[in-house]
Amino acid sequence: MVWAPGMARAARKIATAAALGGGGLTALGATAYGLLIAEGMLARKAIGRPHGMDGPASDGSYGEFSGPPLKLAMLGDSTSVGLGLTDHNETPGVLLATGLAAAAERPVRLLVAGKSGASSAELGDQVDAALAMRPDVAVIFVGANDIITQTPPAFAVRHLSKAVRRLRDEGIEVVVGTCPDLGTVRPIAQPLRWVARRWSRQLAAAQTVAVVDAGGRTVAFADVLGPEFATNPTEMFGPDRFHPSARGYAQAAHAVLPSVCAALGLWPEPGPAREEALQPIYLAAATAAEEPGTEVTATRVDGRATGLYGKWVTLFRRRLGATVNDA
């Protein structure tokens, strides 16, 4: 499915509206939204309730190494806390902390400031908590609840952009896992599932534009959590069939860890392996929304950060154990 040109236009419109204070595109009209609510209620009945209201407590120090600890803060929604899990060692935060500790050969202190049910508008308090810790890097998983509550995309993006800028202004590296593909959630019926997929990817593309513009980097979750979740739902989703299973959370952490390491200078920053990996930000955002695990980060071309069509960025898919571009 090739949506890149239309997705690029949508990302531009949403990002522009976010900057100007507008609402941006809406995915649904009133009639369609009524259908979404009705089908959403049926889906919610089918989904049921996950184990607990938050993930297991996982704040603490990880990695059997000496030296001053690196500090990692997890912000965002239920996926940032590992809702549905019972073992804290399986949460995304702990997986990232232990992986980062191994890469840096230093202990990692983890703070989980994310909250189950949080939308982008609720990131402000989480950023306050993170700033009190003064982490070296903050990882944000957010977007699904903005889709579920039909929050205007530009409103959600504006709050995410503000959160990233506040963290970057304090010298904190930021990696954002963009909105996952809600079209993979089986209890959601068609045509609602198609609508959820379309809006999820529009929001993910707009998030990419805003985050990179604010000085962070993004990793696309739309497809990294898409095909395998769609083909292996019993393995990748937890008992509620909405939140990931331990394996699903591990895949998300696996996709983000190399970008976290790169942000801290522990992983090489390869140049684009092919010309198409160097793109204007709006086209790159649309491409990333469709390609599994694609990282988008700012770059320069001939010493310039921007070109005729906006900020220059590179796209590449990092793989654990690899150092070459796989864009």
Side-chain angles (χ1 to χ4, degrees), residues 63-161:
E64 299 297 326
F65 299 97
S66 60
L70 288 170
K71 297 177 183 178
L72 165 66
M74 288 292 298
L75 287 69
D77 56 25
S78 57
T79 55
S80 74
V81 302
L83 183 65
L85 298 174
T86 56
D87 184 350
H88 76 282
N89 289 310
E90 296 178 333
T91 63
V94 173
L95 293 173
L96 286 172
T98 53
L100 180 57
E105 297 186 344
R106 290 169 58 182
V108 173
R109 180 183 164 201
L110 172 66
L111 168 69
V112 180
K115 298 291 182 184
S116 177
S119 64
S120 297
E122 298 169 77
L123 288 173
D125 289 342
Q126 297 183 26
V127 171
D128 290 342
L131 290 177
M133 178 209 196
R134 299 203 61 81
D136 297 285
V137 60
V139 176
I140 304 174
F141 293 173
V142 76
N145 290 313
D146 295 304
I147 301 298
I148 292 169
T149 59
Q150 210 206 11
T151 299
F155 181 80
V157 168
R158 187 158 58 249
H159 282 281
L160 175 58
S161 176

Coordinates of all heavy atoms in Angstrom, one line a residue, residues 63-161:
G63 N 22.1 -3.5 35.4 CA 23.5 -3.7 34.8 C 24.5 -3.8 35.9 O 24.6 -2.9 36.8
E64 N 25.2 -5.0 35.9 CA 26.2 -5.2 36.9 C 27.6 -4.6 36.4 O 28.5 -5.4 36.1 CB 26.3 -6.7 37.1 CG 25.1 -7.4 37.6 CD 24.7 -6.9 39.0 OE1 25.6 -6.6 39.8 OE2 23.5 -6.8 39.2
F65 N 27.6 -3.3 36.4 CA 28.8 -2.6 36.0 C 29.2 -1.6 37.0 O 28.3 -1.1 37.8 CB 28.6 -1.9 34.6 CG 28.3 -2.9 33.5 CD1 26.9 -3.1 33.1 CD2 29.3 -3.6 32.9 CE1 26.6 -4.0 32.1 CE2 29.0 -4.5 31.8 CZ 27.6 -4.7 31.5
S66 N 30.4 -1.1 37.0 CA 30.8 -0.1 37.9 C 30.8 1.3 37.1 O 30.6 1.3 35.9 CB 32.3 -0.3 38.4 OG 33.2 -0.4 37.3
G67 N 31.0 2.3 37.8 CA 31.1 3.7 37.2 C 29.8 4.4 37.4 O 28.8 3.8 37.9
P68 N 29.8 5.7 37.1 CA 28.5 6.5 37.2 C 27.4 6.0 36.3 O 27.7 5.6 35.2 CB 29.0 7.9 36.8 CG 30.2 7.7 35.9 CD 30.9 6.4 36.5
P69 N 26.2 5.9 36.8 CA 25.1 5.4 36.0 C 24.7 6.3 34.9 O 24.7 7.6 35.1 CB 24.0 5.1 37.0 CG 24.3 6.1 38.1 CD 25.8 6.3 38.2
L70 N 24.3 5.8 33.8 CA 23.5 6.5 32.8 C 22.0 6.6 33.4 O 21.6 5.7 34.1 CB 23.5 5.9 31.5 CG 24.8 5.9 30.7 CD1 24.8 5.0 29.5 CD2 25.1 7.3 30.3
K71 N 21.3 7.6 33.0 CA 19.9 7.8 33.4 C 19.0 7.7 32.3 O 19.2 8.4 31.3 CB 19.8 9.1 34.2 CG 20.6 9.1 35.5 CD 20.5 10.5 36.2 CE 21.4 10.6 37.4 NZ 21.2 11.9 38.0
L72 N 18.0 6.9 32.4 CA 17.0 6.7 31.3 C 15.6 6.9 31.9 O 15.2 6.4 32.9 CB 17.1 5.2 30.8 CG 15.9 4.7 30.0 CD1 15.8 5.4 28.6 CD2 16.1 3.2 29.7
A73 N 14.8 7.7 31.2 CA 13.4 8.0 31.6 C 12.5 7.5 30.5 O 12.7 7.7 29.3 CB 13.2 9.5 31.8
M74 N 11.5 6.7 31.0 CA 10.4 6.2 30.1 C 9.2 7.1 30.3 O 8.7 7.2 31.4 CB 10.1 4.8 30.3 CG 11.2 3.8 29.9 SD 11.4 3.6 28.1 CE 9.8 3.0 27.6
L75 N 8.7 7.7 29.2 CA 7.5 8.5 29.2 C 6.4 8.0 28.2 O 6.8 7.3 27.3 CB 7.8 10.0 28.9 CG 8.6 10.8 29.9 CD1 10.0 10.4 30.0 CD2 8.6 12.3 29.4
G76 N 5.2 8.3 28.5 CA 4.2 8.0 27.5 C 3.0 7.3 28.1 O 2.6 7.6 29.2
D77 N 2.4 6.3 27.3 CA 1.2 5.7 27.7 C 1.4 4.3 28.2 O 2.5 3.9 28.7 CB 0.2 5.7 26.5 CG 0.9 5.0 25.3 OD1 1.8 4.2 25.4 OD2 0.4 5.3 24.1
S78 N 0.4 3.4 28.1 CA 0.5 2.1 28.7 C 1.6 1.2 28.1 O 2.2 0.4 28.8 CB -0.8 1.3 28.5 OG -1.2 1.3 27.2
T79 N 2.0 1.5 26.8 CA 3.1 0.7 26.3 C 4.4 1.1 26.9 O 5.3 0.3 26.8 CB 3.1 0.9 24.7 OG1 3.2 2.3 24.4 CG2 1.9 0.3 24.1
S80 N 4.5 2.3 27.4 CA 5.8 2.7 28.0 C 6.0 2.0 29.4 O 7.1 2.0 29.9 CB 5.8 4.2 28.2 OG 5.0 4.7 29.2
V81 N 4.9 1.6 30.0 CA 5.0 1.0 31.4 C 4.8 -0.5 31.3 O 5.1 -1.2 32.3 CB 3.9 1.6 32.3 CG1 4.1 3.1 32.4 CG2 2.5 1.2 31.9
G82 N 4.5 -1.1 30.1 CA 4.3 -2.5 30.0 C 3.0 -3.0 30.6 O 3.0 -4.1 31.3
L83 N 1.9 -2.3 30.4 CA 0.6 -2.7 30.9 C 0.3 -4.1 30.4 O 0.4 -4.5 29.3 CB -0.5 -1.8 30.4 CG -1.9 -2.0 31.0 CD1 -1.9 -1.9 32.5 CD2 -2.9 -1.1 30.3
G84 N -0.2 -5.0 31.4 CA -0.5 -6.3 31.1 C 0.5 -7.3 31.5 O 0.2 -8.5 31.6
L85 N 1.7 -6.8 31.7 CA 2.8 -7.7 32.2 C 2.8 -7.9 33.7 O 2.3 -7.0 34.4 CB 4.2 -7.2 31.7 CG 4.4 -7.0 30.2 CD1 5.7 -6.4 29.9 CD2 4.4 -8.4 29.5
T86 N 3.4 -9.0 34.2 CA 3.5 -9.2 35.6 C 5.0 -9.2 36.1 O 5.3 -9.0 37.2 CB 2.8 -10.5 36.0 OG1 3.4 -11.6 35.3 CG2 1.3 -10.4 35.8
D87 N 5.9 -9.4 35.1 CA 7.3 -9.5 35.4 C 8.0 -8.2 35.0 O 8.0 -7.9 33.8 CB 7.9 -10.7 34.7 CG 9.4 -10.9 35.0 OD1 10.0 -10.0 35.7 OD2 10.0 -11.9 34.6
H88 N 8.5 -7.4 35.9 CA 9.1 -6.2 35.6 C 10.3 -6.3 34.6 O 10.6 -5.4 33.8 CB 9.6 -5.4 36.8 CG 10.8 -5.9 37.4 ND1 10.9 -7.0 38.2 CD2 12.1 -5.4 37.4 CE1 12.1 -7.3 38.6 NE2 12.9 -6.3 38.1
N89 N 10.9 -7.5 34.6 CA 12.1 -7.7 33.7 C 11.6 -7.7 32.2 O 12.5 -7.7 31.3 CB 12.8 -9.0 34.0 CG 13.6 -8.9 35.3 OD1 14.3 -7.9 35.5 ND2 13.4 -9.8 36.2
E90 N 10.3 -7.9 32.0 CA 9.8 -8.0 30.6 C 9.3 -6.6 30.1 O 8.9 -6.5 28.9 CB 8.7 -9.0 30.5 CG 9.2 -10.4 30.8 CD 8.0 -11.4 30.8 OE1 6.9 -11.0 31.0 OE2 8.3 -12.6 30.5
T91 N 9.3 -5.6 30.9 CA 8.8 -4.3 30.5 C 9.8 -3.6 29.6 O 11.0 -3.8 29.6 CB 8.6 -3.4 31.7 OG1 9.8 -3.1 32.4 CG2 7.6 -4.0 32.7
P92 N 9.3 -2.7 28.7 CA 10.2 -2.0 27.7 C 11.3 -1.2 28.4 O 12.4 -1.2 28.0 CB 9.2 -1.1 27.0 CG 7.9 -1.7 27.1 CD 7.9 -2.4 28.4
G93 N 10.9 -0.6 29.6 CA 11.9 0.2 30.3 C 13.1 -0.6 30.8 O 14.3 -0.2 30.6
V94 N 12.8 -1.8 31.4 CA 13.9 -2.6 31.9 C 14.7 -3.3 30.7 O 15.9 -3.3 30.8 CB 13.3 -3.7 32.8 CG1 14.4 -4.7 33.2 CG2 12.7 -3.1 34.1
L95 N 14.0 -3.7 29.7 CA 14.7 -4.2 28.5 C 15.6 -3.2 27.9 O 16.8 -3.5 27.6 CB 13.7 -4.7 27.5 CG 12.8 -5.9 27.8 CD1 11.8 -6.1 26.8 CD2 13.7 -7.1 28.0
L96 N 15.2 -1.9 27.8 CA 16.0 -0.9 27.3 C 17.2 -0.6 28.3 O 18.3 -0.4 27.9 CB 15.2 0.4 27.1 CG 14.3 0.4 25.8 CD1 13.4 1.6 25.8 CD2 15.1 0.3 24.5
A97 N 16.9 -0.5 29.6 CA 17.9 -0.2 30.6 C 19.0 -1.3 30.6 O 20.2 -1.0 30.6 CB 17.3 -0.1 32.0
T98 N 18.6 -2.6 30.5 CA 19.6 -3.6 30.5 C 20.4 -3.7 29.2 O 21.6 -3.9 29.2 CB 19.0 -5.0 30.8 OG1 17.9 -5.2 29.8 CG2 18.4 -5.1 32.2
G99 N 19.8 -3.4 28.1 CA 20.5 -3.4 26.9 C 21.4 -2.2 26.8 O 22.6 -2.3 26.3
L100 N 21.0 -1.0 27.3 CA 21.8 0.2 27.3 C 23.0 0.0 28.2 O 24.2 0.4 27.9 CB 21.0 1.4 27.8 CG 21.7 2.7 27.8 CD1 22.4 3.1 26.5 CD2 20.7 3.8 28.3
A101 N 22.8 -0.7 29.4 CA 23.9 -0.9 30.3 C 25.0 -1.8 29.6 O 26.2 -1.6 29.8 CB 23.4 -1.6 31.6
A102 N 24.5 -2.8 28.9 CA 25.5 -3.7 28.2 C 26.3 -3.0 27.2 O 27.5 -3.2 27.0 CB 24.7 -4.9 27.6
A103 N 25.6 -2.1 26.4 CA 26.3 -1.3 25.4 C 27.3 -0.3 25.9 O 28.3 -0.2 25.4 CB 25.2 -0.6 24.5
A104 N 26.9 0.3 27.0 CA 27.8 1.3 27.6 C 28.7 0.8 28.6 O 29.7 1.4 29.0 CB 26.9 2.4 28.3
E105 N 28.5 -0.5 29.1 CA 29.3 -1.1 30.2 C 29.3 -0.2 31.4 O 30.3 0.0 32.1 CB 30.7 -1.4 29.7 CG 30.7 -2.4 28.6 CD 32.1 -2.9 28.2 OE1 33.1 -2.2 28.6 OE2 32.3 -3.9 27.6
R106 N 28.1 0.3 31.7 CA 27.8 1.2 32.8 C 26.4 0.8 33.4 O 25.6 0.4 32.6 CB 27.9 2.7 32.5 CG 29.2 3.2 32.1 CD 29.1 4.6 31.5 NE 28.5 5.5 32.4 CZ 28.3 6.8 32.1 NH1 28.6 7.3 30.9 NH2 27.7 7.7 32.9
P107 N 26.2 1.0 34.7 CA 24.9 0.8 35.2 C 23.9 1.8 34.6 O 24.3 2.9 34.2 CB 25.0 0.9 36.7 CG 26.3 1.8 36.9 CD 27.2 1.4 35.7
V108 N 22.7 1.5 34.6 CA 21.6 2.4 34.1 C 20.6 2.6 35.2 O 20.0 1.6 35.7 CB 21.0 1.9 32.8 CG1 19.8 2.8 32.4 CG2 22.0 1.9 31.7
R109 N 20.3 3.8 35.5 CA 19.2 4.1 36.5 C 17.9 4.4 35.6 O 17.9 5.3 34.8 CB 19.5 5.3 37.3 CG 18.5 5.6 38.4 CD 18.9 6.8 39.2 NE 17.7 7.4 39.8 CZ 17.7 8.7 40.3 NH1 18.7 9.5 40.1 NH2 16.6 9.2 40.9
L110 N 16.9 3.7 35.9 CA 15.6 3.8 35.2 C 14.5 4.5 36.0 O 14.3 4.1 37.1 CB 15.1 2.4 34.7 CG 13.7 2.3 34.1 CD1 13.7 3.0 32.8 CD2 13.3 0.8 33.9
L111 N 13.9 5.5 35.3 CA 12.7 6.1 35.9 C 11.6 5.9 34.9 O 11.7 6.3 33.7 CB 12.9 7.6 36.1 CG 11.6 8.4 36.4 CD1 11.1 8.1 37.8 CD2 11.9 9.9 36.3
V112 N 10.5 5.3 35.3 CA 9.3 5.1 34.5 C 8.3 6.2 34.9 O 7.6 6.1 36.0 CB 8.7 3.7 34.6 CG1 7.5 3.6 33.7 CG2 9.7 2.7 34.2
A113 N 8.1 7.2 34.1 CA 7.2 8.3 34.4 C 5.9 8.2 33.6 O 4.9 8.9 33.8 CB 7.8 9.7 34.1
G114 N 5.8 7.2 32.7 CA 4.7 7.0 31.8 C 3.5 6.5 32.7 O 3.6 6.0 33.8
K115 N 2.3 6.7 32.1 CA 1.0 6.4 32.8 C 0.1 5.7 31.8 O -0.1 6.1 30.7 CB 0.3 7.6 33.3 CG 1.1 8.4 34.4 CD 1.3 7.6 35.7 CE 2.0 8.4 36.7 NZ 2.3 7.6 38.0
S116 N -0.5 4.6 32.3 CA -1.5 3.9 31.5 C -2.7 4.9 31.1 O -3.2 5.6 32.0 CB -2.1 2.7 32.2 OG -3.1 2.1 31.5
G117 N -3.1 4.9 29.9 CA -4.2 5.8 29.5 C -3.8 7.2 29.1 O -4.6 8.0 28.7
A118 N -2.5 7.5 29.2 CA -2.0 8.9 29.0 C -2.1 9.2 27.5 O -1.8 8.4 26.6 CB -0.6 9.1 29.5
S119 N -2.5 10.4 27.2 CA -2.4 10.9 25.8 C -1.3 11.9 25.7 O -0.6 12.2 26.7 CB -3.7 11.7 25.5 OG -3.9 12.8 26.3
S120 N -1.0 12.5 24.6 CA 0.1 13.4 24.4 C -0.1 14.7 25.2 O 0.9 15.3 25.7 CB 0.2 13.8 22.9 OG 0.5 12.7 22.1
A121 N -1.3 15.1 25.5 CA -1.6 16.3 26.3 C -1.2 16.1 27.7 O -1.0 17.1 28.5 CB -3.1 16.6 26.2
E122 N -1.0 14.8 28.2 CA -0.6 14.6 29.6 C 0.9 14.4 29.7 O 1.4 14.0 30.8 CB -1.3 13.3 30.1 CG -2.8 13.5 30.1 CD -3.6 12.2 30.3 OE1 -3.6 11.8 31.5 OE2 -4.1 11.7 29.3
L123 N 1.7 14.7 28.7 CA 3.1 14.5 28.8 C 3.8 15.5 29.7 O 4.9 15.3 30.2 CB 3.8 14.5 27.4 CG 3.5 13.3 26.5 CD1 4.1 13.6 25.1 CD2 4.2 12.1 27.1
G124 N 3.2 16.7 29.9 CA 3.8 17.8 30.7 C 4.2 17.3 32.0 O 5.4 17.6 32.5
D125 N 3.3 16.7 32.8 CA 3.7 16.2 34.1 C 4.8 15.2 34.1 O 5.6 15.1 35.0 CB 2.4 15.7 34.8 CG 1.4 16.8 35.2 OD1 1.8 17.9 35.2 OD2 0.2 16.4 35.5
Q126 N 4.7 14.3 33.1 CA 5.8 13.3 33.0 C 7.1 13.9 32.7 O 8.2 13.5 33.2 CB 5.4 12.3 31.9 CG 4.1 11.6 32.1 CD 3.8 10.5 31.1 OE1 4.7 10.0 30.4 NE2 2.5 10.2 30.9
V127 N 7.1 15.0 31.9 CA 8.4 15.7 31.6 C 8.9 16.3 32.9 O 10.1 16.3 33.2 CB 8.2 16.7 30.5 CG1 9.5 17.6 30.4 CG2 7.9 16.1 29.2
D128 N 8.0 16.9 33.7 CA 8.4 17.5 35.0 C 9.1 16.4 35.8 O 10.2 16.7 36.4 CB 7.2 18.0 35.8 CG 6.6 19.2 35.2 OD1 7.3 19.9 34.4 OD2 5.4 19.5 35.5
A129 N 8.6 15.2 35.9 CA 9.2 14.1 36.7 C 10.5 13.7 36.1 O 11.5 13.5 36.9 CB 8.3 12.9 36.7
A130 N 10.6 13.7 34.8 CA 11.9 13.3 34.2 C 13.0 14.4 34.4 O 14.1 14.1 34.7 CB 11.7 13.1 32.7
L131 N 12.6 15.7 34.3 CA 13.5 16.7 34.5 C 14.1 16.7 35.9 O 15.3 17.1 36.2 CB 12.9 18.1 34.2 CG 12.6 18.4 32.7 CD1 11.9 19.7 32.6 CD2 13.9 18.3 31.9
A132 N 13.3 16.3 36.9 CA 13.8 16.2 38.3 C 14.9 15.2 38.4 O 15.8 15.3 39.2 CB 12.6 15.9 39.2
M133 N 14.8 14.2 37.5 CA 15.8 13.1 37.5 C 17.1 13.5 36.7 O 18.2 13.0 36.9 CB 15.2 11.8 37.0 CG 16.2 10.7 36.9 SD 15.8 9.6 35.5 CE 16.7 8.1 35.9
R134 N 16.9 14.4 35.7 CA 17.9 14.8 34.8 C 18.5 13.6 34.1 O 19.7 13.3 34.2 CB 19.0 15.7 35.5 CG 18.5 16.9 36.1 CD 19.6 18.0 36.3 NE 20.1 18.4 35.0 CZ 19.6 19.3 34.2 NH1 18.4 19.8 34.5 NH2 20.2 19.6 33.1
P135 N 17.7 12.9 33.3 CA 18.2 11.8 32.6 C 19.1 12.1 31.4 O 19.1 13.3 31.0 CB 16.9 11.1 32.0 CG 16.0 12.3 31.8 CD 16.3 13.2 32.9
D136 N 19.9 11.2 31.0 CA 20.7 11.3 29.8 C 19.9 11.2 28.5 O 20.2 11.8 27.5 CB 21.9 10.3 29.8 CG 22.8 10.5 31.0 OD1 23.6 11.4 30.9 OD2 22.7 9.7 31.9
V137 N 18.9 10.3 28.6 CA 18.0 10.1 27.5 C 16.6 9.8 28.0 O 16.4 9.2 29.0 CB 18.5 8.9 26.6 CG1 18.6 7.6 27.4 CG2 17.7 8.7 25.4
A138 N 15.6 10.3 27.2 CA 14.2 10.0 27.5 C 13.6 9.3 26.3 O 13.9 9.7 25.1 CB 13.5 11.3 27.7
V139 N 12.9 8.2 26.5 CA 12.2 7.5 25.5 C 10.7 7.7 25.7 O 10.2 7.5 26.8 CB 12.5 6.0 25.6 CG1 11.7 5.2 24.5 CG2 14.0 5.8 25.3
I140 N 10.0 8.0 24.6 CA 8.5 8.3 24.7 C 7.8 7.4 23.8 O 8.1 7.3 22.6 CB 8.2 9.8 24.3 CG1 9.0 10.8 25.2 CG2 6.7 10.1 24.4 CD1 8.9 12.2 24.8
F141 N 6.8 6.7 24.3 CA 5.9 5.9 23.5 C 4.5 6.5 23.7 O 3.9 6.4 24.8 CB 5.8 4.4 24.0 CG 7.0 3.6 23.8 CD1 7.1 2.3 24.4 CD2 8.1 4.1 23.1 CE1 8.2 1.5 24.2 CE2 9.3 3.3 23.0 CZ 9.3 2.0 23.5
V142 N 3.9 7.1 22.6 CA 2.7 7.8 22.8 C 2.0 7.9 21.5 O 2.6 7.8 20.4 CB 2.9 9.2 23.4 CG1 3.4 10.2 22.4 CG2 1.6 9.7 24.1
G143 N 0.6 8.0 21.5 CA -0.1 8.2 20.3 C -1.4 7.4 20.2 O -2.4 7.9 19.7
A144 N -1.4 6.2 20.7 CA -2.6 5.3 20.6 C -3.8 5.9 21.3 O -4.9 5.8 20.7 CB -2.3 3.9 21.2
N145 N -3.6 6.5 22.4 CA -4.8 7.1 23.1 C -5.3 8.3 22.5 O -6.5 8.7 22.6 CB -4.4 7.3 24.6 CG -4.3 6.1 25.4 OD1 -5.1 5.2 25.3 ND2 -3.2 6.0 26.2
D146 N -4.4 9.0 21.7 CA -4.9 10.2 20.9 C -5.8 9.7 19.8 O -6.8 10.4 19.5 CB -3.7 10.9 20.4 CG -2.8 11.6 21.4 OD1 -3.4 12.3 22.2 OD2 -1.6 11.3 21.5
I147 N -5.5 8.5 19.3 CA -6.4 7.9 18.2 C -7.7 7.5 18.8 O -8.8 7.8 18.4 CB -5.7 6.8 17.5 CG1 -4.4 7.2 16.9 CG2 -6.6 6.1 16.5 CD1 -4.6 8.2 15.8
I148 N -7.6 6.8 20.0 CA -8.8 6.2 20.6 C -9.8 7.3 21.0 O -11.0 7.1 20.9 CB -8.4 5.3 21.8 CG1 -7.6 4.1 21.3 CG2 -9.6 4.9 22.6 CD1 -7.0 3.3 22.4
T149 N -9.3 8.4 21.5 CA -10.1 9.5 22.0 C -10.4 10.5 20.9 O -11.1 11.5 21.1 CB -9.5 10.2 23.2 OG1 -8.2 10.7 22.8 CG2 -9.3 9.3 24.3
Q150 N -10.0 10.3 19.7 CA -10.2 11.1 18.5 C -9.7 12.6 18.8 O -10.3 13.5 18.5 CB -11.6 11.2 18.0 CG -11.7 11.4 16.5 CD -13.0 12.1 16.0 OE1 -13.8 12.5 16.8 NE2 -13.1 12.1 14.7
T151 N -8.6 12.7 19.5 CA -7.9 14.0 19.7 C -7.5 14.5 18.4 O -6.9 13.8 17.5 CB -6.7 13.8 20.6 OG1 -7.1 13.2 21.9 CG2 -6.0 15.1 20.8
P152 N -7.8 15.8 18.1 CA -7.3 16.4 16.9 C -5.8 16.2 16.7 O -5.0 16.5 17.6 CB -7.6 17.9 17.0 CG -8.8 17.9 18.0 CD -8.6 16.8 18.9
P153 N -5.4 15.7 15.6 CA -3.9 15.4 15.4 C -3.0 16.5 15.7 O -2.0 16.3 16.4 CB -3.8 14.9 14.0 CG -5.2 14.5 13.6 CD -6.2 15.3 14.4
A154 N -3.3 17.7 15.3 CA -2.4 18.8 15.5 C -2.3 19.1 17.0 O -1.2 19.6 17.5 CB -2.9 20.1 14.8
F155 N -3.4 18.9 17.8 CA -3.4 19.2 19.2 C -2.4 18.2 19.9 O -1.6 18.5 20.7 CB -4.8 19.0 19.8 CG -4.9 19.2 21.2 CD1 -5.0 20.5 21.8 CD2 -5.0 18.1 22.1 CE1 -5.1 20.7 23.1 CE2 -5.1 18.3 23.5 CZ -5.1 19.6 24.0
A156 N -2.5 16.9 19.5 CA -1.6 15.9 20.0 C -0.2 16.2 19.7 O 0.7 16.1 20.5 CB -2.1 14.5 19.5
V157 N 0.1 16.5 18.4 CA 1.4 16.7 18.0 C 2.0 18.0 18.7 O 3.2 18.0 19.0 CB 1.4 16.9 16.4 CG1 2.8 17.4 16.0 CG2 1.1 15.6 15.8
R158 N 1.2 19.0 18.9 CA 1.7 20.2 19.6 C 2.2 19.8 21.0 O 3.3 20.3 21.4 CB 0.6 21.2 19.6 CG 1.1 22.6 20.1 CD 0.1 23.7 19.7 NE -1.2 23.5 20.1 CZ -2.2 23.2 19.2 NH1 -2.0 23.1 17.9 NH2 -3.5 23.1 19.7
H159 N 1.5 19.0 21.7 CA 1.9 18.7 23.0 C 3.2 17.8 23.0 O 4.0 17.9 23.9 CB 0.8 17.9 23.8 CG -0.3 18.9 24.3 ND1 -0.1 19.6 25.4 CD2 -1.5 19.2 23.8 CE1 -1.2 20.4 25.6 NE2 -2.0 20.2 24.7
L160 N 3.2 16.9 22.1 CA 4.4 16.0 21.9 C 5.6 16.9 21.6 O 6.7 16.7 22.2 CB 4.2 15.0 20.9 CG 5.4 14.1 20.5 CD1 5.9 13.4 21.8 CD2 5.1 13.1 19.4
S161 N 5.5 17.8 20.7 CA 6.6 18.7 20.3 C 7.1 19.5 21.5 O 8.3 19.7 21.7 CB 6.1 19.7 19.2 OG 7.1 20.6 18.9

